[in-house]
Amino acid sequence: MSFLSSRPFARRLLAGTVLLGAAAFGSAALAETPADTLVIANGIDDMKSLDPAESFEFAGQDQINNIYETLVEIDPATLKPVPGLAASWSVADDGKTYTFKMAEGRKFASGNPVTAEDAAFSLQRVVKLDQTPAFILTQFGLTKDNIETSVKAVDASTLQIVTDKPYAPSFLYNALTAEVGSIVDKAVVMEHAAEDFGNAWLDTHSAGSGAYVLRAWKPNESVVLDANPNFGHEVAMKRVFVRHVVEPATQLLLLQKGDVDVARNLGPTDIASVEKDANLKIQTELRGQVYYLSGNQKDEILAKPKVMEAIKYLIDYDGITSQLLKGQEQTHQSFLPAGFLGAIEDKPFKLDVAKAKALLAEAGYPDGFETEILIRNEKERVDIAQAIQGSLAQAGIKASLRSVTGAEALSIYRARNHKLTLQTWGPDYPDPQTNASVFAANADNSDAGALVGNLAWRNAYAATETTPMVAAAVVEKDEAKRAALYEEMQRHEQMASPIAVLFQRSEQPALRKGVDGFKTGGAVASAFYWTVTKAAK
């Protein structure tokens, strides 16, 4: 469908919306999504911005992955780094000077050619804006003061990046696949830029070369994307409509009625229903996302190491995965997801109330204490938190649940105003440094440090012993030695950190039969919409 046919679609979409309402009241009428439109039900209330220099939430990253391209892309089929807007790259003998040759013939949605100047502008504005995900670039020694000389267009087709020291080269290439490495259309952005490099405008507009352009975003309601005619691949779905639907039961109903093609947040009971429905199917993908429970070290009680150790023994890991989550998560107790270089399988903790009580007594709390668990108001997280609440109570810890929207939970967490919090974390790029740098390193634990993208900082955990280990691993060019460093720091973190890693996600999206090619992104990327096809009816 071309842009010219968007109005008829809008009428069909409106009709579908009406039928959704009918379905909710028990009507037997069946809706049907248009053949060239992908409709997804998902919880998207964590979205705060669609500027790739600012977005750092799961739902926003999904949209940006489909709107923008990066110099180095992730292949949706293999999930390995491949050429993107850069056709090739190399590093000089000094180990610090990287040269990227831009791919020929690539265009933005506006029709403007993608040049090395666009690439330089895009990476420079990330550093200058210094929003949450900027650390992915600034960790290479790029600063506001040096960015224009460290990242520059040598000519229209050649980009040069100079890092502060010779890192393992794959570290930079992997980092550039992150959404924050998205290349924006400089001319279009500057038309709308004030002193914020177009930040406010790009929050709700797009200027990319990816598969789709942003048509509309209504917070906590929906996102609509239209196909970009200048994208370099064939795209079957000319429009993507992402509906904010929180309740899994509602997502299942919409899927069964044909109002949506994909439901992304079904629970175990819903999955069982899908498996019995001949019109639906389940696909299972191991994701890089991990669940963790962490304690703010600004809290006098949680700052005592034996208290957090006791809490790690008051979680029924296997009981929650087997009885509550039923295959949607697997017990995992280290910060690198399975599949990453240096990942370990050690699981030193299990529910042991007697041991936890002894640790609490040593910490000075033989009768427990009162605390609070901050969570996003999402069924799975509420279920897990309630299970943890119950097992904590067995040792006298009375934990109330503070359930808020995803955006609110992030704001409280990033301000270091929580006590305990149940959160998830997904890798930003397919390199072990992505998780090591946020779980096990903290360059400045002061409030003024404001390292809001760093999990150790958010929990006021100084990570004194592992911070230098993380620094050593990222410049180690011997892969076996590098892996050993990550293994060692994970084993230290398991025992010493106030962050208890609990589970690794296996996402199980449910789809209508005939809908193929939907990719959640596996352990290393965000979702891919442009690979989806629908069988003719």
Side-chain angles (χ1 to χ4, degrees):
M1 180 169 57
S2 71
F3 290 110
L4 296 176
S5 61
S6 60
R7 288 185 178 178
F9 166 78
R11 288 196 291 270
R12 282 182 281 160
L13 198 57
L14 179 60
T17 303
V18 172
L19 285 172
L20 285 181
F25 288 97
S27 169
L30 289 177
E32 181 177 296
T33 61
D36 59 359
T37 298
L38 178 66
V39 185
I40 301 170
N42 192 20
I44 59 172
D45 62 343
D46 61 336
M47 285 177 56
K48 302 179 75 171
S49 167
L50 285 175
D51 184 342
E54 181 178 357
S55 172
F56 208 46
E57 295 76 39
F58 289 117
Q61 301 278 281
D62 282 345
Q63 318 318 321
I64 288 172
N65 190 43
N66 289 279
I67 293 172
Y68 294 93
E69 294 180 285
T70 50
L71 294 169
V72 184
E73 282 285 334
I74 295 293
D75 186 307
T78 66
L79 298 178
K80 301 293 185 184
V82 295
L85 290 178
S88 63
W89 44 80
S90 61
V91 60
D93 291 342
D94 66 1
K96 300 189 297 182
T97 305
Y98 294 80
T99 299
F100 295 84
K101 299 298 292 185
M102 304 298 291
E104 295 182 358
R106 304 303 298 271
K107 292 182 179 179
F108 289 107
S110 66
N112 293 330
V114 180
T115 68
E117 180 59 32
D118 293 298
F121 170 78
S122 301
L123 302 182
Q124 289 172 0
R125 72 181 292 275
V126 169
V127 174
K128 291 175 180 176
L129 286 169
D130 197 24
Q131 299 286 336
T132 302
F135 75 92
I136 296 173
L137 299 183
T138 59
Q139 65 185 333
F140 293 97
L142 306 177
T143 69
K144 292 181 181 179
D145 292 334
N146 69 24
I147 188 64
E148 294 196 9
T149 55
S150 298
V151 178
K152 62 183 180 182
V154 177
D155 55 45
S157 62
T158 308
L159 177 76
Q160 184 183 82
I161 298 177
V162 180
T163 60
D164 60 339
K165 55 186 176 184
Y167 297 96
S170 59
F171 175 45
L172 176 64
Y173 304 143
N174 289 333
L176 290 176
T177 68
E179 281 74 11
V180 75
S182 297
I183 307 305
V184 303
D185 187 334
K186 179 180 178 181
V188 170
V189 172
M190 291 304 289
E191 286 177 10
H192 302 88
E195 296 179 352
D196 65 348
F197 302 99
N199 178 223
W201 185 77
L202 278 179
D203 276 347
T204 54
H205 299 80
S206 64
S209 62
Y212 294 96
V213 297
L214 177 64
R215 179 182 179 85
W217 168 33
K218 294 182 179 179
N220 302 327
E221 187 173 322
S222 66
V223 176
V224 182
L225 308 177
D226 283 343
N228 169 16
N230 294 326
F231 184 54
H233 304 273
E234 183 66 25
V235 176
M237 297 296 102
K238 303 305 181 188
R239 178 165 291 181
V240 178
F241 180 42
V242 184
R243 290 198 53 181
H244 175 56
V245 183
V246 175
E247 285 297 322
T250 306
Q251 289 196 10
L252 177 60
L253 177 63
L254 296 175
L255 188 69
Q256 290 171 327
K257 293 292 185 182
D259 285 320
V260 303
D261 300 302
V262 180
R264 297 194 62 182
N265 308 115
L266 300 187
T269 303
D270 309 306
I271 297 293
S273 297
V274 170
E275 290 173 337
K276 298 174 184 176
D277 192 323
N279 295 313
L280 309 178
K281 60 182 179 181
I282 291 290
Q283 64 184 47
T284 301
E285 295 184 54
L286 185 64
R287 303 301 307 275
Q289 189 177 355
V290 295
Y291 261 110
Y292 65 91
L293 181 75
S294 62
N296 189 346
Q297 298 303 279
K298 286 191 168 188
D299 184 282
E300 180 182 357
I301 299 174
L302 300 176
K304 296 188 175 181
K306 290 189 183 300
V307 168
M308 284 307 304
E309 185 180 354
I311 288 173
K312 293 174 184 177
Y313 284 108
L314 286 171
I315 298 168
D316 187 3
Y317 304 88
D318 292 338
I320 293 174
T321 54
S322 63
Q323 299 173 29
L324 186 64
L325 302 174
K326 296 182 177 177
Q328 294 194 313
E329 311 280 345
Q330 58 181 288
T331 299
H332 188 80
Q333 297 180 351
S334 51
F335 63 71
L336 281 181
F340 273 62
L341 176 72
I344 60 175
E345 297 180 358
D346 305 33
K347 299 180 181 65
F349 302 104
K350 63 179 180 180
L351 180 62
D352 188 337
V353 177
K355 187 166 187 173
K357 284 183 174 179
L359 287 165
L360 288 174
E362 291 179 41
Y365 301 98
D367 299 321
F369 55 88
E370 292 186 6
T371 190
E372 177 184 90
I373 303 177
L374 171 70
I375 54 172
R376 175 181 173 182
N377 185 19
E378 186 180 82
K379 185 178 185 306
E380 183 176 89
R381 298 182 195 224
V382 172
D383 289 346
I384 295 172
Q386 288 176 336
I388 293 173
Q389 181 185 43
S391 54
L392 290 179
Q394 293 181 49
I397 299 176
K398 300 179 181 63
S400 60
L401 301 187
R402 184 179 182 184
S403 178
V404 298
T405 67
E408 287 177 292
L410 283 172
S411 294
I412 295 167
Y413 187 27
R414 289 171 176 172
R416 308 208 286 190
N417 286 331
H418 63 291
K419 292 185 177 181
L420 289 170
T421 185
L422 178 68
Q423 298 282 346
T424 60
W425 181 262
D428 298 299
Y429 44 90
D431 188 281
Q433 188 70 4
T434 182
N435 277 17
S437 64
V438 293
F439 279 92
N442 186 350
D444 183 354
N445 197 37
S446 69
D447 288 344
L451 305 177
V452 295
N454 180 289
L455 303 185
W457 183 88
R458 289 184 194 176
N459 287 287
Y461 170 54
T464 306
E465 293 189 46
T466 50
T467 296
M469 296 170 65
V470 175
V474 77
V475 297
E476 176 55 62
K477 294 180 176 58
D478 184 305
E479 190 165 284
K481 291 180 180 177
R482 192 173 182 226
L485 284 170
Y486 288 114
E487 291 172 6
E488 181 184 357
M489 70 179 77
Q490 284 175 96
R491 293 191 171 102
H492 176 88
E493 287 293 281
Q494 285 181 321
M495 306 311 298
S497 168
I499 304 174
V501 180
L502 312 174
F503 318 114
Q504 181 174 347
R505 171 172 289 277
S506 289
E507 185 170 342
Q508 294 183 298
L511 302 88
R512 298 283 303 177
K513 285 281 177 65
V515 177
D516 297 304
F518 178 74
K519 307 288 186 182
T520 63
V524 297
S526 300
F528 296 91
Y529 304 151
W530 62 269
T531 51
V532 173
T533 60
K534 285 185 183 180
K537 297 181 180 178

